Amino acid sequence: MTHASEQPFRPQAVTYSIPQIVDFALKGILRVPRFQRSFVWDEEDVRDLFDSVWRGFPIGTLLLWRSDADAETVSFGPLAIAAPERTDALWVVDGQQRITSMVGVLNSRYRDVDRRFDLYFDLRKGRFANASGRSIPPTWIPLHEAVETRSLLSWLRDHSADLEPEDFDAADELGGVLRDYQVPAYIVVGNDDRLLRNIFDRVNSAGKPIGRADVFHALFASDTEPGSPQTVVQSLSRLGFGRVDPDRVVQSLLALRGGNIQRDLHDEFSEGEDPAVWYDRTEQAMALAIGFLRKQGIPHLRLVPSTLPLPVLAAYFHLHPDPSPWAQRLLARWLWRGWVHGFGRRGQTPALRQAIYYINPKKMQPELAPSEDQAALSLLKAVSNEESFSLRLDPFRTESSPARLALIALASLGPMDRDGNHVDLAAQFEEYGEKAISELVTNRRGQLGARGLWPYRTARPTGRENSDVLRSHAISGQAAAYLSEGKLDEFVQERAKDIDTLTYRFVTARLESKSPARPSIASLVVEDEEV
């Protein structure tokens, strides 16, 4: 019998930078079990890996096993690495192809071992390319030269005659991305090698799960039909707010129909129902939800701290397309409190399911849905109304909720370009994606005071611009003085303090922690009966 106190080994969640992973491999910390397959990726796979890193896409989680290892020659595909005996080796259960690609591409000694590792970045076109026997243009930088600051500067110096200012910026950005990108990993600890084999078997038998949106598309629509998650995504993208995750579309559709959004999809529509009608309704409701987010000062999906509220807002606006200002205020409180304190303690899926229940509890029975005030109040009661909060803004990670709250606060200042024109932030994100979160100072991507919404692909601020322009980017007079004098550390520190204060005041004002949670006055008024 297993007692409750006998807890099983649970993996430790960590993150590693790409240079750390390469260093671990070269030092023999990373090991490959004998039953792992050889390196099977082709040139395109390797290019896609680094393109995902460049774009900030997830590249999957590594699964590692910490255990003893003898001195041996470790083989990462075609790469042979002499490894000493260790008591803290990390055996690669899942992730060999990714790790081999990183080591082969980013270490100069291996570029001639295999042509798949001879990878370059085209500074002019912003894309990756293999040599493949062709002559290399002077604006193609080998990736192994870009990962370390010293080698990057040396390469730029040697090729300066062939490069434009924009090329230097692109190379600097590439180096920052390669150094700063974080790869998630789980580390399993234990002395039983059967544990490793058990985990390995489960990982490799699980397969690639099909998304809920993919299931819906396969069941109810074809590429030529008007109703599908993809058609909704495409239509919403015309709003200039970004591309919504298709799975959020499916969750929104189920939320509009009411009930448990985790239900089986196969019997969702009855005979005679047209799914395209519901996708059309979903599109309209999500467009209203996006409009509501914009009213909250959020210019683009890339600044949304969490997209969990999207299906909730879609269901709410489907049932209440024109809610009163008071109901919208209650809804806004729920939104901001959820982003700051979390939408639930049991995880996102239970929180989302419960939130939908508060708004539209029964499938296809909208008459049972509560009023717009009661629905908003129920949502509000499910999140914390604590006045105090802390936001971790150091290190600054653009994908984190605290960082996005800080960026929304910066957006509230109405950022201007150096000529005093207001920046179209939505257009910046549509054109440049994550790059629109620009670096005001180079080589400090992880520092709050160095990041902001200064227009991408324009000269960085010098501190001598118009004071109104500088203030619109949270650059105070003191910070501007530091910047103009070249005191970059002092500038970053001073501006970080100002942004921290700005964010705290901005968020506090929207939490409305001391405001009463009640229905609108109008809903409480009861008219006299006619005599």
Side-chain angles (χ1 to χ4, degrees), residues 1 18 48 61 77 79 114 120 130 157 308 336 389 392 406 438 456 475 478:
M1 177 181 296
I18 291 176
D48 286 347
T61 302
L79 311 179
D114 194 304
Y120 297 79
N130 291 91
R157 188 165 51 248
L308 179 145
W336 290 101
F389 61 91
R392 185 179 179 183
S438 52
Y456 183 67
I475 300 176
Q478 181 61 69

Side-chain angles (χ1 to χ4, degrees), residues 408-427:
I408 297 169
L410 283 171
S412 73
L413 299 177
M416 302 178 189
D417 63 22
R418 59 181 357 101
D419 296 324
N421 302 309
H422 285 288
V423 179
D424 187 338
L425 295 177

